[in-house]
Amino acid sequence: MEITVRGYRAADVPAMADIWNQVVAEGVAFPQEAPLTETDAAEFFAQQSWCGVAEADSEVLGLYILHPNNVGRCGHICNASYAVDSKRRGAHIGEKLVLDCIAQGRALGFRILQFNAVVCTNLRARRLYERLGFRQLGVIPGGFRLNGNRYVDICPYYIELGDGANAV
């Protein structure tokens, strides 16, 4: 199975919403609690600076969103979220998404990619980020509420992307 990552198309939105909603329902990685309707998803994905999808054989396997983390004097820092279909995890799809996201962040002129809320128990993601050169900024105790109202730490991460000569 050859996996490629490309910019999303309107036809991808139903699959993207399904995968996004899987992660939301799991309650262990995304801060959102409500699922996206297809209409909400179309609007949400269109508002991002970039959305990439991983696909194989014309099937969407995962996605990422990329957008500014803040505005003005901090607008050169971007943020991203990644989601992989629960049936497809473990096939290095997340790694392909993160690498493409880094390239797109650079292409858009961002200087830093920062993850605000990596859940401490998301060990696969944390190992991947560290292997790719991200650095942990610290720990925010009890920063994430899991399903069942149990609180766990979050670990912000970042990686430098470049000089940001074309920063958005």
Side-chain angles (χ1 to χ4, degrees):
M1 171 173 67
E2 185 175 337
I3 300 167
T4 59
V5 180
R6 60 165 173 79
Y8 91 104
R9 301 178 196 124
D12 299 324
V13 169
M16 293 168 70
D18 179 59
I19 294 167
W20 185 271
N21 290 338
Q22 289 174 23
V23 177
V24 170
E26 291 166 356
V28 297
F30 284 0
Q32 294 84 359
E33 295 179 295
L36 292 172
T37 66
E38 196 170 316
T39 301
D40 292 341
E43 184 177 320
F44 175 69
F45 296 130
Q47 292 173 348
Q48 306 304 314
S49 299
W50 183 263
C51 291
V53 295
E55 73 171 357
D57 301 321
S58 300
E59 179 186 356
V60 175
L61 310 174
L63 67 117
Y64 73 88
I65 62 171
L66 176 68
H67 51 87
N69 194 48
N70 212 315
V71 297
R73 296 180 192 278
C74 295
H76 60 282
I77 301 172
C78 59
N79 182 275
S81 297
Y82 308 92
V84 175
D85 188 310
S86 61
K87 299 177 295 295
R88 301 298 193 146
R89 294 181 187 153
H92 301 283
I93 296 166
E95 180 175 2
K96 290 180 184 299
L97 291 168
V98 175
L99 290 171
D100 191 77
C101 179
I102 290 170
Q104 290 298 332
R106 283 185 181 123
L108 290 170
F110 290 107
R111 295 183 58 154
I112 298 168
L113 172 56
Q114 178 178 319
F115 304 143
N116 299 325
V118 179
V119 180
C120 69
T121 55
N122 192 349
L123 297 179
R124 276 186 164 171
R126 294 180 63 201
R127 285 187 198 116
L128 171 62
Y129 301 151
E130 290 168 9
R131 186 166 46 80
L132 294 178
F134 285 81
R135 294 194 290 193
Q136 185 176 332
L137 287 167
V139 173
I140 301 171
F144 191 88
R145 183 175 42 81
L146 297 168
N147 288 343
N149 290 324
R150 185 169 65 93
Y151 291 84
V152 295
D153 299 345
I154 56 176
C155 306
Y157 279 85
Y158 79 99
I159 191 168
E160 294 183 46
L161 300 179
D163 68 9
N166 300 318
V168 291

